[in-house]
Amino acid sequence: MPTWKVLRRALAPTALAAVLAAPFTMPSPALATGALAPQVVAAVAPASFVGLPDRPLPSDHAAHPMTVTYHNDSSADRTVAPQILVESPDNGPFLAPTDIKLEVLTGGHWRTVRLASQTGTLYTDLTRAKLVLHSHHTLTQRYRLTVVKAGPGTVQPRIALYA
């Protein structure tokens, strides 16, 4: 499987790491209890990404199923997180989170997934999707994508790999 490149071509790798690490930062318990010296505990950012086949953003308003599959072929357990990116054209128009409805199948029910936006790219939160994938097991995650407001774009699923 190919290794994923930068989220947006306009972002340098170091800037991308800072953008991706920001949602992983949480206040420490000491800060929550009102301690005098504020401290922040940073969670670990992904070490790399595995890109999965991308596809054009559908232009109709129908629900389109998508399956994200990743096999851990290593001899060790690995922390992974599936992520869906919806990338707008470089010159716009840029998609807004309200233009797309993304759902994930969890426990036999479809649950709406919140999308964030950065520089014309809509994306799912990695922190909520993290899980441990055991050695030689396969992750299969089913999604349903509905375009509420049609526009050009590309759907790019990927897997975040943590060290």
Side-chain angles (χ1 to χ4, degrees):
M1 291 182 206
T3 300
W4 192 261
K5 294 190 179 183
V6 180
L7 178 63
R8 290 288 296 168
R9 288 169 287 287
L11 292 176
T14 54
L16 177 61
V19 168
L20 289 176
F24 302 114
T25 305
M26 313 186 259
S28 70
L31 183 60
T33 59
L36 295 177
Q39 299 174 1
V40 175
V41 177
V44 177
S48 63
F49 293 91
V50 175
L52 302 174
D54 60 340
R55 62 194 77 170
L57 184 65
S59 58
D60 61 3
H61 300 291
H64 295 269
M66 281 189 319
T67 301
V68 173
T69 304
Y70 175 75
H71 181 73
N72 179 5
D73 55 4
S74 74
S75 60
D77 292 352
R78 176 158 230 174
T79 302
V80 300
Q83 186 177 46
I84 304 296
L85 305 174
V86 180
E87 191 165 337
S88 300
D90 287 339
N91 298 326
F94 296 134
L95 295 164
T98 55
D99 295 341
I100 306 292
K101 179 180 181 184
L102 183 66
E103 299 168 289
V104 63
L105 187 61
T106 306
H109 300 285
W110 290 105
R111 181 180 56 82
T112 300
V113 178
R114 191 176 61 106
L115 294 170
S117 178
Q118 176 75 33
T119 321
T121 299
L122 306 177
Y123 57 93
T124 57
D125 182 16
L126 289 173
T127 58
R128 296 173 192 221
K130 276 172 68 169
L131 56 95
V132 174
L133 185 60
H134 297 294
S135 172
H136 301 290
H137 282 120
T138 300
L139 165 72
T140 302
Q141 187 66 62
R142 293 181 51 201
Y143 292 93
R144 188 165 61 183
L145 177 79
T146 306
V147 177
V148 176
K149 181 179 174 189
T154 305
V155 180
Q156 301 172 340
R158 66 183 186 174
I159 303 294
L161 304 175
Y162 294 83

